[in-house]
Amino acid sequence: MTELAPPRGTIDLLPPRSEAMLGLYEAGHELAHRYGFRYVETPSFEHTEVFERTSGGTSDIVTKEMYTFEDKGGRSLTLRPEPTAPVMRAYLAHRHDLPTPFKAYYVSANWRHSRPQAGRLREFRQLGVEVIGTPAPEADVEVVAMADRYLRDRGLRRFALHLNSIGDEACRPAYREELVAYLEGRRDELSDEHGDRFRENPLRVLDCRDEACRRVARDAPLITERLCEACAEHLAAVQAGLRAAGVAFQPDPFLVRGLDYYTRTAFEFVSEAMPAAQSTLCGGGRYDGLAEVLGGAPTPGVGFGLGLDRVLYAMEEEGVELPGPRSVDAFVVAVGDGAILAARGLVEDLRRAGVAAEASAGDRPLKAQLRMADRTGARFAVIVGEREMAEGRATVRRLSDGSQEAVPMEDVPGWISGRA
RNA sequence: GUGGCCGUAGCUCAACUGGCAGAGCACCAGGUUGUGGUCCUGGGGGUUGGGGGUUCAAGUCCCCUCGGUCACCCCA
């Protein structure tokens, strides 16, 4: 049993859950198209430096969560722990062939070696978008609006959008100093493990759930009151745009982001239906500093990552109807060995005519075959036996009510496609 | 990576203070000769996550390990 189980933190997605996930993928493709995003794929692994440089050397991702390995040429490679840096890398490598701004989206897996729990996997699937090449607040609005639309269209209601700005190089350093000074003054109120953290990243104290941290954070200077002119205007424009777009949000001056390359806009969609530790359905923001860290020309960008495993989990928690399996229209049943080939010909005719059809192997009793037909959810069972072959007409049975009629073999595909 | 709780059939669970591993659902087959979803009858399924220990005897107690889960860290 253990040896057949998938590796820790990974899951086998099987029907019907796999089909629900497929529905999430398809909805993502459809919506991204509706918002004018273009599909991209980047490699599942990158040179390790791509993530080391962009995520920040002290970040959790780099220090303990990366799946890093050496290839046979001695290169250090890492399984993509987050998608934004690779997409930016790819953009910088090919920007002369791409439109500006470049609106990219992807549906792909990421890998992080953290301790797994429900909604927190080592291999997890994400729908993400990036608008690269424009600092305009409209881009931020577009990105946030699409994430909101995606979650709402899935039927989710119990979530909130938290929005903040974390400033930029013009105003964040001064704010950071002020915050550090403030925290130093109240250092003794924080426990050791939490108190030490602000040296690494003082902003982190603000969104900490620890009781003492929250008390200290409550009176801390707020970034939103220290933003430079440009950042303040940007934030105001994003908020105005969201209101115009009909997207409800909640200003949250305590929201910060973990990765170093974020600037200005930061946002999170948080589910109220899930345990706190896995409640972030979608996170994103602006990363105007990322391109330079990668060694490229200054290139602004904004995007989000939306956790599909968590969305599926949240849908289950909220009791929302999941995308279901698409059942076939017809299930062909062969009665007796003599009918197996006729049934085979018929099922292929149906498929050629565009009808989703299945046939049983014909090696089981009629009763069992009809049971199979029932379980596939097919609308019609097409019965082919010696009688039918003698008459040249198949028995088409409507599974919803058991009514049935004889249809000439060659007319069956047309008969069913006309009713499917 | 740190800590708590949990691990019995495919699923949900039962088995008094150690004493022969069970039920429901699901699955399969029958209920006469070609008709599913209801009903009745029967059947297959388990190294009680794995390994070691204590004991006459371990699903039950102890240790290790694997996995799940919750919290922390962090985030999707």
Side-chain angles (χ1 to χ4, degrees), chain A residues 137-142 144-145 161 163 231-249 251 265:
Chain A
E138 287 71 30
D140 307 44
V141 173
E142 186 128 286
V144 173
L161 164 59
L163 181 74
C231 284
E233 272 175 28
H234 187 90
L235 177 59
V238 171
Q239 293 181 333
L242 288 175
R243 283 189 205 100
V247 176
F249 64 90
T265 309

Side-chain angles (χ1 to χ4, degrees), chain A residues 173-243:
Chain A
Y175 167 70
R176 190 186 170 109
E177 263 179 53
E178 186 180 350
L179 179 63
V180 168
Y182 167 80
L183 292 173
E184 294 280 6
R186 298 185 62 170
R187 173 67 180 80
D188 54 318
E189 293 176 45
L190 300 175
S191 63
D192 287 344
E193 56 172 321
H194 292 278
D196 289 338
R197 196 183 314 155
F198 76 74
R199 289 176 206 291
E200 303 265 311
N201 187 347
L203 300 188
R204 277 265 152 247
V205 175
L206 298 179
D207 70 349
C208 184
R209 278 198 294 272
D210 177 74
E211 191 87 27
C213 286
R214 295 178 100 138
R215 246 194 327 274
V216 170
R218 200 155 38 218
D219 304 320
L222 296 178
I223 178 70
T224 39
E225 290 163 5
R226 304 290 190 281
L227 293 175
C228 59
E229 193 72 25
C231 284
E233 272 175 28
H234 187 90
L235 177 59
V238 171
Q239 293 181 333
L242 288 175
R243 283 189 205 100

Side-chain angles (χ1 to χ4, degrees), chain A residues 329-330 345-357 409-420:
Chain A
D329 303 312
L346 187 54
V347 70
E348 213 49 44
D349 286 343
L350 283 161
R351 290 162 174 169
R352 198 176 300 122
V355 175
M409 293 285 184
E410 61 275 18
D411 295 346
V412 170
W415 192 94
I416 290 182
S417 63
R419 271 156 249 254

Side-chain angles (χ1 to χ4, degrees), chain A residues 369-389:
Chain A
Q369 293 190 55
L370 280 171
R371 189 160 50 229
M372 288 170 70
D374 188 48
R375 282 181 198 153
T376 62
R379 313 232 341 257
F380 300 99
V382 180
I383 302 170
V384 182
E386 291 183 9
R387 267 186 229 155
E388 284 79 5
M389 290 197 295

